[in-house]
Amino acid sequence: MRKNFSQTLKHLIKFSSIKLSALADFIGYDVSYLSKWCNNINRPSPKYIARVNHRIAEFIAEELVKQDRLYPFFNEFGIKLSTKITAENAKERLNKEINNLLNDAYYQNQAESLPANNEQSFSPTTPYQTIVGRTNIKKFFNSKIASLLSGLQESISILITSDIVTLLSRDAFLDFLSYCHFSSENINIYIGCNTDKLAHAPASFIPRLYSMLNKYININFHIYNDQSFSHSNVITVKNYFSLQYSIHKDNLMDICTYIADKNISKEIWERTFEKFDYKSCILEPKHDIELVKFRSFFYLDSDLLLFCAKGFEFFLPAQAFKKLLNSSRDYKYSSDMQKTIQNMQITWEEQFESAHIDFFLPEANIIRYIENGQLTYGEIDYVTSAQEREAQLQQLIKSMQKNPNINVYLLGESQPQNEEEYFKLSYYSNTKTAYLKKNKSFLKNVSKTIYLLKDTLLIDKFNQFFRNLQDRPTCRKFSADELEDIYKKNNALLYRIWQKNAPVQ
């Protein structure tokens, strides 16, 4: 259950062990005011809340840095870290997170206390309705709009002309998605991207984007260069309703008009959709089968970065390729698929000899693969036998011994406790082209399985994000000798695992 402003403020004060009087002096309020805020007798005025929260965050962040309680704070308040925190940016990060906690609690608290007539004034069939004020707008989206979208059984297509860099710089958009419990099995969301903002995006942007694509794996996100619609300020849901809004200088909505008139909403959709020019798409969902011919050329490059979120489809022995060829006959465009498999086998064998290849393997993923042998090759789900997995490991070791430019990095993350904590998106890059691939075992609908990156700047930023994984304290680089030593020492254990998990014939 989310805490209100009073509870959050008291929690922060107690955790940081600060005196109420010292905080009151710092923010310029009488201590009696803070006492009322903490006891839920009163709250700061909406007019001054931004300044109040900023000053409170600044004071508490300073104290926590002095106490060297950075990571205890993140654990206490359940904040997951997606980027490394240095000593230089610790205070800034604490300040930001405390400010977010207070703002979220305040606006949540405000929304819960709205008068009953506000609560009952909305109807999905009301042709027009204007909502004024960010607190009312936030509640409107997280309750009414989220509820509408959650109840739709048919396909959902949403156009959002906002800039994705700006959207992910705040929590409002991700917060809204968390309230949407989609029933539809086919959801497409089209979002804009300001390429100038992308060029200067903070380091946190790509981790947040990857996290969003990973968490909402059953949604197809399409991202477009927004130069044709950057001033539109429109959200429109095909065949249902549209929203037009104005933006405050802090990039939050100030005024929003809901339009349910079918004819008007249809015209808004058509006028907006025509601005989403296919040529300006920079992140495009695709079916895996559409990349059949693309892959033959993809691996010809001599510099590869491969992040594997399901199985390990590389260094497969010859017998596995033969079985894959047999399986491919059941797939659409089977002749193209078979040719690709044959070409891939030849290409990989050549690339393993000389190419620079960085493999990044999440620990939870590789453990699952050692146990069950499940991988996806293109659109083909395949289970390697114990013998094939052993031959695969031996081939990896031999290739690394011959080619010192093959690197294996193991990400020793904590064991996931639920679906949300798993890596679900693999990443394949040859520095010039790149794509993300969904782990199909997490898919619950007809979602497309590939995100093709079509913008050089976006590819560069994703490459940097994944290469920076090697700087994590939990990431370890393995040499060929180390892998061989592990294999020899654990050979008997591996056989026991493989025997135990072998499929029943």
Side-chain angles (χ1 to χ4, degrees), residues 35-295:
S35 180
K36 290 178 181 178
W37 297 347
C38 288
N39 292 306
N40 206 24
I41 297 171
N42 204 345
R43 288 195 299 273
S45 163
K47 184 177 180 180
Y48 300 112
I49 188 61
R51 177 189 172 279
V52 167
N53 285 345
H54 176 76
R55 295 287 285 169
I56 292 173
E58 188 178 358
F59 185 79
I60 294 177
E62 179 76 36
E63 289 299 315
L64 291 178
V65 169
K66 288 179 183 177
Q67 299 168 22
D68 193 22
R69 299 184 69 198
L70 176 69
Y71 290 101
F73 167 80
F74 287 111
N75 290 331
E76 177 76 12
F77 289 89
I79 299 170
K80 294 182 180 179
L81 298 176
S82 58
T83 56
K84 187 177 179 180
I85 299 177
T86 63
E88 291 75 21
N89 66 11
K91 183 180 175 181
E92 180 184 352
R93 180 63 186 271
L94 277 169
N95 197 327
K96 176 184 174 182
E97 295 296 346
I98 295 169
N99 209 353
N100 286 342
L101 285 170
L102 290 167
N103 280 328
D104 287 349
Y106 182 85
Y107 289 119
Q108 175 72 17
N109 198 195
Q110 288 283 92
E112 287 171 356
S113 62
L114 287 174
N117 61 344
N118 268 27
E119 179 71 26
Q120 297 170 359
S121 62
F122 172 77
S123 168
T125 57
T126 302
Y128 304 97
Q129 182 176 5
T130 299
I131 303 94
V132 179
R134 64 190 60 191
T135 301
N136 292 340
I137 290 172
K138 180 175 181 179
K139 186 185 179 188
F140 181 73
F141 269 83
N142 291 351
S143 58
K144 305 307 180 185
I145 299 300
S147 178
L148 277 177
L149 294 175
S150 299
L152 298 178
Q153 301 292 327
E154 300 81 4
S155 296
I156 299 174
S157 293
I158 306 172
L159 299 180
I160 302 174
T161 62
S162 298
D163 162 53
I164 187 67
V165 179
T166 304
L167 283 175
L168 293 185
S169 68
R170 306 189 69 100
D171 294 327
F173 181 59
L174 294 178
D175 195 35
F176 165 68
L177 284 178
S178 71
Y179 281 92
C180 297
H181 306 289
F182 293 104
S183 304
S184 172
E185 293 190 350
N186 186 18
I187 306 158
N188 288 275
I189 299 180
Y190 302 78
I191 309 175
C193 178
N194 183 307
T195 52
D196 288 336
K197 290 185 179 180
L198 176 62
H200 301 95
S204 61
F205 170 66
I206 294 297
R208 281 200 152 207
L209 177 59
Y210 177 82
S211 177
M212 180 187 77
L213 299 175
N214 190 74
K215 181 176 181 179
Y216 299 102
I217 193 170
N218 287 290
I219 297 175
N220 296 316
F221 290 94
H222 310 243
I223 300 178
Y224 284 72
N225 185 322
D226 71 353
Q227 59 184 354
S228 298
F229 53 81
S230 59
H231 301 293
S232 298
N233 289 359
V234 167
I235 299 172
T236 177
V237 182
K238 188 176 184 180
N239 299 327
Y240 295 103
F241 60 87
S242 297
L243 299 141
Q244 288 187 297
Y245 54 88
S246 66
I247 294 289
H248 194 264
K249 63 183 179 180
D250 62 2
N251 292 315
L252 288 175
M253 289 187 193
D254 215 27
I255 303 170
C256 178
T257 298
Y258 169 84
I259 304 165
D261 183 287
K262 295 291 184 182
N263 293 327
I264 297 296
S265 186
K266 180 182 178 183
E267 188 169 355
I268 291 173
W269 168 273
E270 291 173 350
R271 285 174 176 268
T272 307
F273 186 67
E274 68 182 12
K275 296 175 183 175
F276 281 73
D277 183 4
Y278 176 77
K279 293 178 182 177
S280 66
C281 186
I282 66 174
L283 182 80
E284 179 187 9
K286 299 181 80 70
H287 289 293
D288 196 286
I289 197 71
E290 297 176 67
L291 296 191
V292 163
K293 294 181 179 179
F294 169 84
R295 282 199 183 88

Side-chain angles (χ1 to χ4, degrees), residues 22-35:
L23 177 60
D25 288 342
F26 185 81
I27 67 173
Y29 277 77
D30 190 275
V31 71
S32 62
Y33 278 88
L34 268 74
S35 180

